[in-house]
């Protein structure tokens, strides 16, 4: 199967059987897991004892061979097996008189290169991009442009070329109008970089949710550890939601809407997001018709809805007239995007104190206080039912085991048996903090309006600050920090680390799209304009053609990657067509 290799163990020792166990390098402080017993060789027939076993190829393994007589360790081998490879482990004595045992690993059949489909897909998409760029350059040639104008509607074609597929630096805009048509007054009211940022995160999220070609590195980290790209996607989506809250509320209040009316809209939108998450996008549908017996209460949209409610209400309650435009006088102009909002910061800090107290001080039955581990075989199997510590305990206590996620990412490597929900109650506190940091990015854009250098420098400073905090909390290590980076727990170090990269990414996209206008944001801009529709749609229609079809070889990365990329591309095309028709699903 995918991510597996075949290992044939040959035991030439005449009087003792062998016990083979393995330990994955990705499993922190784990127990060795028994794989297979290899019988002793038949000395009279000179026939070695043999046993075959499948071994994992995702991470390097440490193999331990122990004698069945006295449980003595004979040898230990560290090796990273290749996918679909065929290996032999030959165990024998070096000589008849000596008791020294040798363990030789032999490659019978080499593994395949499972990464070639990724390279091929990359070249295909780069080829499509090159064709679009060449087509854009040809459209700058007057005879070609005139021929296209004769075949198509001139006004519509010009809008398509200049506004959606290319750079604003067209011949017409440079020669006749100092302000490119793409950046008219109407379009400047909405920053394309925000929709591009949201769309980029969403497109990759869709690809990962569809399977990511069944590659292990497109899956979430089992527990603590470095940020795989998928592990930061949801946090970036939360971050840019906070940024959008700041800009949209500022615009709405400037148009004269009352705070009471705006708060009513906030409540309604939050309710719809939570309702969509519970009823429409619910992974427990795979267990049969939706019923209260197995209804998963937490979820992505549920957490987005509640986070939106808290952060938007916080911004609405404490917003001050003139603060967002920089006209409000402050004692320290360099902090004009922070000081006017000090009540919000106190509220957020209080939430973080609550998270710290519950995480590290709440007594959890059968678990050490402040436990942050995965349970299962982690921590040498000492706390098998303590998955998530206080976070898991609170969810199981308040929501019930049947109403949370049943198959957490820790179940694969750490073999956990307890249900655990990565979108649970306690982690929502830090999700609010993540959205608040995005809100801070929006305040920077409003406070330093049209001052591009100031905006980008503030983004960079915030990124550095968050990075320093992360380095302190984690001690720059995977497992040994005060609070390790953990997406399942939404630990505070996970928030500071992902926000560090979110500020940098927003800075780059803002520079390319809204400052230098070197990139229109396509194609990610279009899903970003219809994010709720794309996210909900990709979940609802996940198992329907043309987003999924029966594969000839379900153990082929190439087929899975083709299917997942096709489905993701289709949603980008759908969002583009909806954009052309000016159809946007807003709630």
């Amino acid at each position: 199967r995918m991510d597996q290799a075949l290992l044939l163990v040959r035991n030439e020792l005449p009087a003792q059987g062998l016990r083979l166990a393995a330990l994955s390098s990705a499993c922190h402080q784990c127990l060795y897991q028994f794989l297979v017993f290899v019988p002793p060789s038949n000395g009279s027939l000179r026939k070695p004892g043999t046993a075959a076993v499948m071994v994992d190829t995702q991470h390097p393994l440490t193999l331990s061979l122990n004698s069945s007589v006295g449980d003595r360790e004979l040898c230990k081998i560290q090796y990273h097996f290749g996918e679909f490879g065929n290996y032999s482990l030959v165990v024998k004595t070096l000589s008849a008189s000596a008791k020294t045992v040798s363990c030789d690993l032999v490659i019978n059949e080499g593994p395949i290169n499972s990464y070639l489909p990724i390279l091929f897909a990359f070249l295909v998409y780069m080829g499509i991009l090159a064709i679009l760029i060449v087509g854009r350059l040809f459209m700058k040639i007057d005879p070609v442009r005139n021929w296209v104008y004769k075949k198509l509607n001139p006004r519509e074609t010009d809008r398509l070329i200049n506004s959606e597929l290319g750079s604003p630096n067209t011949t017409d805009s440079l020669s006749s109008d100092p302000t490119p048509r793409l950046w008219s007054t109407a379009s400047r009211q909405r920053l394309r970089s925000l929709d591009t940022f949201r769309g980029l995160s969403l497109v990759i999220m869709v690809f990962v949710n569809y399977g990511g070609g069944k590659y292990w590195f497109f899956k979430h980290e089992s527990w603590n550890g470095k940020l795989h790209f998928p592990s930061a996607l949801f946090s970036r989506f939360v971050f840019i939601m906070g940024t959008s809250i700041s800009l949209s509320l500022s615009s709405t209040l400037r148009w004269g809407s009352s705070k009471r009316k705006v708060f009513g809209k906030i409540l309604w939108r939050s309710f719809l997001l939570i309702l969509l998450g519970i009823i429409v996008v619910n992974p427990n549908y795979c267990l049969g018709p939706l019923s209260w017996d197995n209804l998963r209460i937490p979820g992505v949209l549920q957490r987005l809805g509640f986070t939106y409610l808290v952060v938007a209400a916080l911004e609405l309650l404490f917003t001050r007239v003139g603060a967002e435009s920089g006209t409000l006088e402050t004692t320290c102009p360099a902090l004009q995007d922070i000081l006017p909002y000090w009540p919000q910061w106190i509220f957020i800090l209080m939430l973080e104190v609550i998270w710290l107290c519950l995480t590290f001080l709440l007594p959890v039955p059968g678990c050490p206080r402040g436990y942050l581990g995965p349970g299962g075989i982690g921590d040498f199997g000492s706390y098998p039912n303590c998955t998530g510590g206080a976070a898991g305990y609170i969810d199981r206590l308040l929501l019930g085991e049947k109403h949370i996620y049943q198959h957490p990412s820790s179940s694969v490597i750490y073999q956990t048996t307890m249900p655990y929900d990565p979108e649970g109650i306690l982690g929502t506190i830090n999700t609010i903090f993540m959205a608040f940091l995005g809100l801070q990015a929006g305040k920077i854009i409003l406070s330093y309006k049209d001052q591009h250098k100031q905006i980008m420098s503030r983004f960079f400073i915030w990124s550095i600050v968050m990075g320093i905090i992360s380095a302190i909390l984690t001690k720059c290590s995977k497992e040994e920090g005060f609070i390790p980076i953990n997406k399942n727990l939404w630990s505070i170090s996970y928030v500071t680390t992902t926000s560090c990269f979110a500020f940098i990414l927003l800075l780059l996209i803002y520079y390319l799209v809204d400052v230098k206008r070197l990139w229109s944001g396509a194609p990610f801009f279009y899903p970003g304009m219809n994010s709720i529709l794309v996210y909900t749609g990709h979940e609802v229609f996940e198992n329907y053609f043309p987003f999924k079809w029966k594969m000839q070889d379900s153990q082929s990365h190439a087929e899975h990657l083709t299917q997942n990329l096709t489905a993701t591309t289709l949603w980008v095309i759908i969002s583009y067509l909806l954009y052309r028709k000016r159809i946007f699903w807003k709630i």
Side-chain angles (χ1 to χ4, degrees):
R1 299 175 64 88
M2 285 187 293
D3 299 325
Q4 287 184 340
L6 175 65
L7 178 63
L8 179 66
V9 185
R10 292 170 53 90
N11 180 13
E12 298 183 4
L13 304 180
Q16 51 186 323
L18 301 175
R19 295 175 60 86
L20 178 65
L23 176 63
S24 172
S25 64
C27 199
H28 179 64
Q29 293 185 342
C30 290
L31 299 171
Y32 276 89
Q33 297 303 297
F34 173 76
L35 294 181
V36 69
F37 174 78
V38 188
S41 66
N42 190 324
S44 60
L45 299 178
R46 295 184 178 180
K47 182 179 180 181
T50 61
V53 65
M54 300 297 177
V55 291
D56 180 67
T57 63
Q58 297 183 16
H59 308 283
L61 294 180
T62 300
L63 300 178
S64 176
L65 271 170
N66 286 16
S67 171
S68 61
V69 180
D71 200 28
R72 180 172 62 94
E73 185 178 275
L74 301 178
C75 59
K76 185 178 289 186
I77 299 174
Q78 290 184 341
Y79 193 76
H80 194 171
F81 294 92
E83 190 172 29
F84 296 116
N86 189 319
Y87 303 84
S88 288
L89 179 59
V90 182
V91 184
K92 59 184 178 180
T93 55
L94 294 179
S95 64
S97 59
K99 294 184 178 181
T100 305
V101 175
S102 71
C103 300
D104 301 319
L105 193 63
V106 181
I107 301 176
N108 303 324
E109 184 178 343
I112 67 169
N113 188 343
S114 58
Y115 305 119
L116 284 178
I118 297 179
L119 176 61
F120 182 76
F122 174 78
L123 293 177
V124 169
Y125 278 92
M126 288 299 101
I128 295 173
L129 178 62
I131 291 173
L132 293 176
I133 292 175
V134 170
R136 178 70 186 93
L137 294 176
F138 269 108
M139 290 305 299
K140 290 185 177 182
I141 302 174
D142 288 339
V144 176
R145 181 193 293 268
N146 293 335
W147 181 82
V148 172
Y149 280 9
K150 290 179 182 179
K151 299 295 182 182
L152 300 174
N153 184 313
R155 182 176 300 177
E156 179 67 9
T157 302
D158 185 65
R159 185 189 66 79
L160 174 63
I161 296 171
N162 292 334
S163 178
E164 294 174 1
L165 298 181
S167 164
N169 298 323
T170 63
T171 305
D172 290 345
S173 64
L174 286 174
S175 59
S176 59
D177 188 354
T179 303
R181 295 184 185 183
L182 174 60
W183 307 103
S184 62
T185 303
S187 65
R188 285 179 65 92
Q189 294 177 0
R190 186 180 183 98
L191 291 175
R192 293 177 71 97
S193 57
L194 302 187
D195 293 310
T196 303
F197 185 104
R198 184 188 300 109
L200 174 62
S201 301
L202 179 60
V203 166
I204 302 175
M205 188 186 300
V206 169
F207 171 69
V208 169
N209 288 348
Y210 275 149
K214 297 298 182 182
Y215 288 100
W216 66 270
F217 44 79
F218 285 137
K219 299 175 184 177
H220 296 297
E221 186 74 38
S222 292
W223 202 247
N224 296 337
K226 57 184 181 295
L227 286 175
H228 290 165
F229 198 67
S231 300
L233 295 175
F234 183 32
S235 63
R236 288 174 187 161
F237 203 82
V238 172
F239 179 89
I240 206 64
M241 181 183 72
T243 308
S244 300
I245 288 173
S246 178
L247 300 179
S248 62
L249 284 184
S250 174
S251 175
T252 302
L253 294 176
R254 275 204 314 270
W255 281 96
S257 297
S258 66
K259 287 190 175 183
R260 181 186 296 270
K261 184 178 180 180
V262 173
F263 183 67
K265 291 182 178 179
I266 292 172
L267 282 175
W268 178 244
R269 191 180 193 205
S270 302
F271 170 75
L272 289 180
L273 282 171
I274 294 172
L275 192 66
L276 277 174
I278 292 178
I279 296 180
V280 180
V281 184
N282 200 307
N284 278 358
Y285 269 131
C286 61
L287 302 178
L290 187 65
S291 69
W292 178 252
D293 293 337
N294 57 14
L295 179 70
R296 182 192 177 198
I297 297 176
V300 171
L301 289 182
Q302 295 92 307
R303 180 172 281 192
L304 282 175
F306 186 78
T307 300
Y308 174 80
L309 173 63
V310 174
V311 176
L314 185 66
E315 174 69 1
L316 183 67
L317 181 63
F318 293 106
T319 188
R320 299 174 64 182
V321 178
E324 75 281 354
S325 60
T327 59
L328 192 68
E329 292 186 4
T330 60
T331 56
C332 183
L335 299 177
Q336 67 183 48
D337 57 322
I338 300 176
L339 292 182
Y341 308 99
W342 62 267
Q344 296 177 347
W345 280 100
I346 291 178
F347 178 82
I348 293 298
L349 291 175
M350 288 175 59
L351 285 182
E352 287 307 311
V353 170
I354 292 173
W355 183 85
L356 289 169
C357 290
L358 289 175
T359 300
F360 292 101
L361 300 179
L362 180 69
V364 179
C367 307
R369 188 165 296 185
Y371 183 71
L372 298 176
I377 63 173
D379 300 293
F380 306 110
S382 302
Y383 316 109
N385 298 323
C386 294
T387 303
Y393 174 67
I394 290 173
D395 289 341
R396 292 189 291 269
L397 180 66
L398 299 182
L399 303 177
E401 290 189 7
K402 292 185 178 180
H403 299 294
I404 60 179
Y405 196 52
Q406 301 296 307
H407 307 287
S409 59
S410 58
S411 63
V412 178
I413 290 181
Y414 289 95
Q415 301 181 20
T416 56
T417 57
M418 296 294 291
Y420 178 82
D421 207 306
E423 278 77 50
I425 296 173
L426 192 57
T428 305
I429 292 177
N430 285 336
T431 309
I432 292 171
F433 181 38
M434 186 74 190
F436 184 76
L437 292 173
L439 188 79
Q440 181 62 36
K443 295 181 191 300
I444 292 172
I445 294 173
L446 292 171
S447 298
Y448 300 95
K449 195 170 185 178
D450 296 328
Q451 301 177 49
H452 299 313
K453 289 185 178 180
Q454 286 283 357
I455 291 173
M456 290 189 293
S457 63
R458 299 291 287 185
F459 285 168
F460 183 74
I461 291 172
W462 272 99
S463 177
I464 295 298
V465 171
M466 291 296 106
I468 292 174
I469 295 175
S470 296
I472 294 173
L473 291 176
T474 63
K475 297 182 181 178
C476 298
S477 69
K478 177 180 177 179
E479 302 284 354
E480 306 304 326
F482 300 109
I483 304 178
I485 296 173
N486 190 298
K487 192 267 179 187
N488 285 287
L489 294 172
W490 268 76
S491 62
I492 184 65
S493 57
Y494 169 78
V495 172
T496 54
T497 303
T498 54
S499 62
C500 166
F501 292 112
F503 273 111
I504 287 293
L505 181 61
L506 182 58
L507 186 157
L508 293 174
I509 295 178
Y510 177 77
Y511 176 78
L512 293 173
V513 175
D514 286 325
V515 178
K516 290 299 183 180
R517 303 167 192 171
L518 299 173
W519 178 31
S520 68
F524 306 112
F525 171 76
Y526 309 116
M529 290 287 289
N530 245 324
S531 56
I532 297 298
L533 185 146
V534 171
Y535 183 83
T536 305
H538 101 275
E539 290 276 7
V540 172
F541 297 103
E542 176 181 2
N543 295 315
Y544 295 90
F545 183 83
F547 305 103
K548 193 172 185 179
W549 58 83
K550 185 177 180 180
M551 288 180 278
Q552 293 182 348
D553 183 4
S554 62
Q555 299 303 314
S556 167
H557 281 294
E559 287 201 46
H560 280 283
L561 187 64
T562 300
Q563 186 178 90
N564 301 154
L565 286 175
T566 300
T568 305
T569 304
L570 284 173
W571 282 113
V572 174
I573 295 173
I574 290 171
S575 63
Y576 170 72
L577 295 176
L578 292 174
Y579 176 81
R580 289 290 308 276
K581 297 292 184 181
R582 293 297 183 261
I583 299 174
F584 305 104
W585 187 25
K586 303 293 183 182
I587 61 174

